[in-house]
Amino acid sequence: MKFIKWASLMAIALILILQTACKKTTNEPIPTPAAPGQFAIEFEHKWGMMQTPFSLNTLQVHPMTGDSLTFTTFRYYVSNIKVKKDDGTWWSEPYSYHIVDLANTASLEIELDDVPAGNYTELQYTMGVDSLRNVSGAQDGALSVTEGMFWNWNSGYIMLKAEGTSPDAANNTYLFHLGGFSGSNNIVTVKTTNFNGATMSIASDKTPHVHLVANPARLWHSSPSVSTKNTIHMPGAEAKTMALDFYTNISFDELHQ
Amino acid sequence: MKRMISFLFLGLMLLAACSKDPFSPNPVSSNEGPDFPAYFPAPHYQSAENIWQKNRIELGRRLFYDPILSSDSSVSCASCHHASHAFSDFGKALSTGVNGAIGNRNSPALFNLLWSTSFMWDGGINHLEIMPFAPITLATEMNEDMNHILAKLNRHTQYKPLFEKSFGPGEISSKDFFYALAQFMGSLVSANSKYDLFRQGKISFSSDEQKGYQLFQVHCNRCHTEPLFTNQGFANNGLDSVFSDEGRYRITLDPDDKGKFKIPSLRNIGLSYPYMHKGQFNSLQAVLNHYSSSVKQSETLDPQLKGGIPLNELEKNQIIQFLNTLNDSVFIQNSLHQNPF
């Protein structure tokens, strides 16, 4: 009985302490946070070491393999975009999954909205789709299977699709469906840029653009000519080599404030 | 007095907690999902978002039985998965898809999918929700395009309101579609066989069944592990020494996986003939003859099968008698699993 009395007293004391701790100090003005802003990431595609313009349905000659390639499809996933403020905090885009599709001009520019105002010093983005989403069943938006970027027989996202025609390839076609999210087949690649030391300032009245350059010729940087290999349709060592050669080369070009 | 009241209250709470029938053949009595016996492990399939709802299960059942999911409206999921035979394509080694196309592996029975860690004979599908994506889109099965299915459903006068009831207003998405099918497939819990009644202490086995059970535990249970009668793994059970179908290897490209296939559950085995990934064997007798005397050697053969399983005719018969206790007549007759049309 004595114990119960003691326990109740302690409980009352605790409640009182907690109540005081939670009380808001009312006399300090609450600063109004600056309205959030937005920024955009723009993917520019340039071909080979000469950095010539790249587009679909246009003949490109590969500087290393000598293959004549006419792309009909070039699309890939970019995910998990986040930016770092000069105070060290990160802002991450919610459900951050995007398909960059050369057949869809609007998709070359990823717009990020509702970004807290401030000065940002670093951008992080992921080429491919993180492993978790590859094993989590039905998904929405850019990750829906209706995008045609998910294998029906070997679960996982096709993180990059490059298809086209070439007189150098068997049947005059090539088809590279690259993916892989686990173990030694993992191609998912996290990229960062510090804008070459510049600062991206986010405010409601402007939309800074981050320009990234991607070079599809890099797919064959250390992979053989389409005359040797014109199809990849699953994860594995070959897919990894091709994807990583392309991913690692994607680089920051400039920041338009 | 106060203390007595609290004790009484606690007692009532406990009573209420205990009064729930530990297992009822009617799935989904609550948001917690289908009921299953206490001796089953926790389900592998969990979704924080796909909350169990009778509406969703019912919608999933409709989709399962509707040939609208195929390119020419001739084939439904149920065309190759018959409720009467534990959702197998009984009697058919390989199944027929649209345009008379023939698949390359035997249609599996469907039940206890909430516990499956992978799907298909090669385990290529990693999640219950996206499992239907394969048969729906494969040319040899339903040969349909997901965008086209969604377009058909979105303009369908009956499906539109059914989806809205389950998932709220708006266009039907692929996610809604897969969620509904996952709930129906997940609701297919088979746990009312004679074996289950035995496990629950409600009946006893005949002496042959009992002997068969003991033989099973010695020779079969390592792979066909109780109570689900599969360990969810993959094995080469000696059907071939040269593999025309490389099975699990097709997915992993690991040479150790050549000729390995998913170990199927043996529940409802008497109902889901023929057997093996190509439907090679028409009877359980033929299966046991294979294991006792015609296992073929190869690099990846399961070590326990190297010398075959030594069984005489009486023992084979006893094992078959035990295996037939795994048939679940309550499951195959459950009205909630039948064709709603």
Side-chain angles (χ1 to χ4, degrees), chain B residues 229-301:
Chain B
F229 291 88
T230 171
N231 63 4
Q232 310 290 352
F234 300 86
N236 169 358
N237 62 350
L239 295 167
D240 300 295
S241 34
V242 179
F243 311 115
S244 55
D245 181 341
E246 290 177 313
R248 181 70 178 152
Y249 173 76
R250 180 176 178 246
I251 302 302
T252 63
L253 300 183
D254 179 349
D256 290 343
D257 285 337
K258 280 191 182 176
K260 288 187 183 174
F261 290 88
K262 188 162 166 80
I263 295 163
S265 171
L266 298 184
R267 285 180 172 270
N268 297 302
I269 197 73
L271 301 164
S272 54
Y273 51 89
Y275 306 111
M276 307 300 163
H277 64 275
K278 279 204 186 83
Q280 291 97 317
F281 301 128
N282 284 315
S283 66
L284 291 173
Q285 186 69 45
V287 171
L288 288 172
N289 288 344
H290 163 74
Y291 282 124
S292 69
S293 57
S294 57
V295 167
K296 297 196 175 67
Q297 305 299 312
S298 63
E299 291 256 313
T300 57
L301 176 66

Side-chain angles (χ1 to χ4, degrees), chain A residues 151-197:
Chain A
W151 278 296
N152 63 359
W153 60 282
N154 188 355
S155 300
Y157 284 94
I158 300 171
M159 300 182 196
L160 186 153
K161 255 189 189 183
E163 300 171 10
T165 60
S166 168
D168 303 302
N171 302 319
N172 291 318
T173 59
Y174 59 92
L175 180 150
F176 296 97
H177 289 183
L178 313 180
F181 57 87
S182 67
S184 59
N185 291 338
N186 186 8
I187 68 168
V188 181
T189 303
V190 177
K191 307 265 304 175
T192 54
T193 172
N194 66 355
F195 312 120
N196 287 349

Side-chain angles (χ1 to χ4, degrees), chain B residues 77-329:
Chain B
C77 305
S79 301
C80 302
H81 298 284
H82 303 272
S84 61
H85 288 70
F87 294 94
S88 68
D89 202 4
F90 64 103
K92 285 194 182 158
L94 303 174
S95 299
T96 310
V98 299
N99 300 320
I102 306 287
N104 57 354
R105 291 176 184 154
N106 182 252
S107 295
L110 306 179
F111 54 81
N112 299 347
L113 300 173
L114 294 179
W115 288 269
S116 282
T117 52
S118 66
F119 302 88
M120 306 302 166
W121 280 105
D122 57 22
I125 312 290
N126 67 16
H127 201 282
L128 177 63
E129 284 164 10
I130 45 130
M131 194 259 265
F133 183 48
I136 286 170
T137 53
L138 287 171
T140 51
E141 300 191 36
M142 295 157 95
N143 190 38
E144 181 56 300
D145 173 78
M146 274 306 302
N147 285 301
H148 195 217
I149 289 177
L150 294 178
K152 288 191 279 189
L153 295 175
N154 271 308
R155 62 170 181 256
H156 198 285
T157 50
Q158 283 166 311
Y159 275 113
K160 198 78 211 302
L162 287 173
F163 270 94
E164 292 198 336
K165 207 164 133 195
S166 286
F167 298 99
E171 287 282 287
I172 300 167
S173 73
S174 66
K175 190 174 172 177
D176 303 337
F177 172 83
F178 287 131
Y179 274 6
L181 271 173
Q183 291 219 354
F184 175 64
M185 293 188 297
S187 77
L188 305 177
V189 175
S190 176
N192 272 297
S193 65
K194 186 170 182 183
Y195 163 84
D196 293 292
L197 297 177
F198 171 80
R199 279 291 296 254
Q200 292 155 25
K202 291 178 181 161
I203 56 136
S204 51
F205 279 156
S206 73
S207 70
D208 276 348
E209 287 165 348
Q210 185 62 41
K211 279 178 190 142
Y213 186 25
Q214 283 158 3
L215 288 163
F216 174 89
Q217 286 176 316
V218 173
H219 297 296
C220 319
N221 191 61
R222 188 176 57 92
C223 292
H224 297 287
T225 314
E226 293 178 73
L228 296 167
F229 291 88
T230 171
N231 63 4
Q232 310 290 352
F234 300 86
N236 169 358
N237 62 350
L239 295 167
D240 300 295
S241 34
V242 179
F243 311 115
S244 55
D245 181 341
E246 290 177 313
R248 181 70 178 152
Y249 173 76
R250 180 176 178 246
I251 302 302
T252 63
L253 300 183
D254 179 349
D256 290 343
D257 285 337
K258 280 191 182 176
K260 288 187 183 174
F261 290 88
K262 188 162 166 80
I263 295 163
S265 171
L266 298 184
R267 285 180 172 270
N268 297 302
I269 197 73
L271 301 164
S272 54
Y273 51 89
Y275 306 111
M276 307 300 163
H277 64 275
K278 279 204 186 83
Q280 291 97 317
F281 301 128
N282 284 315
S283 66
L284 291 173
Q285 186 69 45
V287 171
L288 288 172
N289 288 344
H290 163 74
Y291 282 124
S292 69
S293 57
S294 57
V295 167
K296 297 196 175 67
Q297 305 299 312
S298 63
E299 291 256 313
T300 57
L301 176 66
D302 188 275
Q304 200 179 316
L305 297 176
K306 282 255 146 61
I309 300 175
L311 293 171
N312 62 37
E313 292 310 305
L314 175 66
E315 290 170 326
K316 287 182 201 168
N317 186 270
Q318 287 166 336
I319 290 180
I320 290 171
Q321 292 206 38
F322 167 69
L323 291 177
N324 279 320
T325 71
L326 301 177
N327 299 336
D328 184 347
S329 58

